[in-house]
Amino acid sequence: MPKQVLITGGAGFIGSNFVRHWCQRHTGRVVVLDILGYAGNRANVADLEDQARFRLVKGDICDRALVDELLTTEQIDTVIHFAAESHVDRSILGPAAFVQTNVVGTFTLLEAFRDRWQTQGKPHHYRFLHISTDEVYGSLSADDPAFTETTPYAPNSPYSASKASSDHLARAYFHTYGMPTLITNCSNNYGPYQFPEKLIPLMCLNIMLGKPLPVYGDGQNVRDWLHVSDHCTAIEQVLHQAEPGDVYNIGGNNQVKNIDIVYQLCELMGEMAPANGIELPKTPRELITFIADRPGHDRRYAMDISKIKRDLGWSPVYNFTDGLRQTVAWYLTHRDWWQPLLSAEYQGYYKNLYGDR
Ligand code: NAD
Ligand code: DAU
């Protein structure tokens, strides 16, 4: 029987990529619950809205009555929970929203799902997949081994602390109630539809607009980059193959320093913009500007993905150079998608954060 899925945060970056991936491969009902805040964009799933089995609901995961109604009327058996406040810099400026959505929102979903699962007689095929991050494990120094599923939690930002809290709740619902929760912890994603506050799309847009490329601190921080399509296949495999209560690390085996990404983006943009009929206002490299570091900035993340490789046979397929090239091409050719996001609110946010730069 096809799964009847509720996808929270399905109008955001990873959520919308996943919804499209899922709809191409599976039949069955697909309901997206998204508050359509600054990062949730109806345009991200517009191509799916003509499918009868697809429904986008604008609403808050903290709204228990709404979640109950959706689980019941849509006969949901599977929740894939992406919805979150996701940007570290915003969590430093205003942590309250992170506690509300990431902790209280996750708790609300877990409670509603527990109620439905119990009322239905605890069916074996029900699943609650909680999407989380490598940031819960804290920061690595240059020679530390990569994070495994048993690395102790040590979140350093309000964002990662709120995600760690929600991971603990999902874990506790399995251990206490036997509820079939699954948790995935993934490294940095990149690809189409990422909101241009995150490193890669921000740099792409600023190069096109001739604006400074703000590099925090010395630019030597390392992230483990994974193409969003690889994240989608990993989530799908976890959903189909993992045992209730399982936790899987997902990553790209691809550690790169921030400054090297910025250099690569400058080069790719310089090469690809003219081919797409776009004249760059300034030489990209000249826009690089080192600015004050992010408070509490984690130095390095790296994921050990041997468990998911061994148990589920998953590995990333994208090579970073090709993935970055594809991503740059997407931002070059989707001005209609990103231009509306450069609104007064968005600009104001950056002004508050960094002043004029
Ligand atoms: P995003 O900010 O692009 O999307 C988040 C979505 O959640 C948005 O559509 C937003 O409108 C929605 N949302 C926020 N608050 C909500 C609420 N109260 N009710 C309903 N919807 C709400 O983030 P993303 O990068 O797509 O991340 C998705 C998930 O993956 C998050 O849980 C994040 O922690 C996790 N994650 C992200 C990355 C990454 O590199 N982006 C890596 C690992 C894990
Ligand atoms: O590791 C997974 C996490 O990756 C996810 O859980 C988060 O939701 C996601 O936002 C991302 O967090 P990061 O803080 O790593 O991503 P961000 O794109 O904000 O920054 C990547 C690196 O680039 C980080 O070291 C900070 C730096 N940076 C970022 C921005 C936006 C800059 O130097 N300049 C910038 O303007």
Side-chain angles (χ1 to χ4, degrees), residues 279-341:
E279 194 184 334
L280 298 179
K282 297 197 174 143
T283 308
R285 274 224 188 197
E286 287 171 8
L287 296 169
I288 295 175
T289 311
F290 288 88
I291 64 166
D293 211 351
R294 172 186 278 174
H297 197 176
D298 286 337
R299 194 63 174 169
R300 172 176 163 246
Y301 304 138
M303 283 301 229
D304 180 333
I305 55 170
S306 34
K307 184 181 173 196
I308 191 168
K309 272 187 174 172
R310 188 185 59 239
D311 288 4
L312 311 185
W314 176 87
S315 289
V317 297
Y318 269 80
N319 120 349
F320 191 53
T321 309
D322 294 343
L324 213 51
R325 184 172 273 279
Q326 179 240 50
T327 304
V328 167
W330 193 86
Y331 283 95
L332 280 169
T333 53
H334 286 76
R335 195 177 187 112
D336 57 332
W337 179 84
W338 56 259
Q339 186 76 49
L341 305 177

Side-chain angles (χ1 to χ4, degrees), residues 7-295:
I7 301 180
T8 71
F13 162 48
I14 305 173
S16 64
N17 275 280
F18 181 79
V19 174
R20 187 167 298 102
H21 176 95
W22 184 264
C23 286
Q24 283 162 359
R25 290 162 180 79
H26 302 272
T27 55
R29 191 76 170 142
V30 176
V31 180
V32 165
L33 173 60
D34 198 298
I35 202 162
L36 299 179
Y38 82 93
N41 189 347
R42 190 174 274 274
N44 293 1
V45 289
D47 54 321
L48 304 171
E49 290 211 61
D50 60 354
Q51 295 188 22
R53 50 84 169 252
F54 177 81
R55 180 178 170 203
L56 171 61
V57 178
K58 178 175 162 55
D60 191 338
I61 57 166
C62 301
D63 181 345
R64 174 68 194 269
L66 173 62
V67 176
D68 281 342
E69 189 214 311
L70 291 176
L71 293 181
T72 307
T73 57
E74 299 287 357
Q75 301 190 339
I76 299 298
D77 54 42
T78 302
V79 171
I80 309 168
H81 174 36
F82 293 93
E85 289 291 340
S86 68
H87 191 40
V88 173
D89 293 329
R90 286 184 188 248
S91 83
I92 295 167
L93 283 176
F98 287 71
V99 173
Q100 181 62 20
T101 287
N102 301 359
V103 185
V104 178
T106 302
F107 170 69
T108 306
L109 289 168
L110 287 165
E111 274 294 89
F113 191 78
R114 178 167 77 91
D115 194 19
R116 170 148 176 90
W117 172 69
Q118 288 177 334
T119 311
Q120 295 298 304
K122 304 185 179 178
H124 290 299
H125 66 289
Y126 275 39
R127 293 288 183 275
F128 186 107
L129 172 49
H130 174 64
I131 306 296
S132 191
T133 171
D134 58 0
E135 300 202 11
V136 299
Y137 298 122
S139 182
L140 297 169
S141 54
D143 301 326
D144 285 336
F147 301 127
T148 71
E149 288 80 356
T150 55
T151 300
Y153 274 30
N156 288 320
S157 71
Y159 163 69
S160 53
S162 67
K163 291 296 291 186
S165 309
S166 57
D167 291 12
H168 290 322
L169 284 169
R171 174 192 152 90
Y173 272 63
F174 172 71
H175 284 274
T176 303
Y177 305 112
M179 197 173 100
T181 62
L182 300 162
I183 301 172
T184 54
N185 294 89
C186 189
S187 64
N188 285 64
N189 283 215
Y190 69 99
Y193 297 101
Q194 186 166 32
F195 191 82
E197 64 186 349
K198 308 284 166 62
L199 180 73
I200 289 176
L202 179 76
M203 296 297 162
C204 290
L205 265 58
N206 283 11
I207 292 171
M208 282 187 269
L209 298 168
K211 291 171 64 178
L213 308 180
V215 177
Y216 300 165
D218 61 6
Q220 299 295 309
N221 302 65
V222 171
R223 298 291 183 263
D224 176 356
W225 292 93
L226 178 74
H227 193 279
V228 64
S229 296
D230 280 328
H231 191 184
C232 292
T233 60
I235 293 168
E236 186 182 26
Q237 280 189 240
V238 168
L239 205 52
H240 289 314
Q241 297 169 243
E243 294 297 324
D246 271 345
V247 176
Y248 282 102
N249 281 358
I250 302 168
N253 266 343
N254 178 42
Q255 298 176 52
V256 194
K257 288 179 182 160
N258 293 342
I259 189 66
D260 290 336
I261 293 195
V262 176
Y263 288 148
Q264 282 189 63
L265 291 172
C266 288
E267 231 169 83
L268 285 172
M269 274 284 175
E271 173 204 326
M272 294 168 68
N276 283 278
I278 294 172
E279 194 184 334
L280 298 179
K282 297 197 174 143
T283 308
R285 274 224 188 197
E286 287 171 8
L287 296 169
I288 295 175
T289 311
F290 288 88
I291 64 166
D293 211 351
R294 172 186 278 174

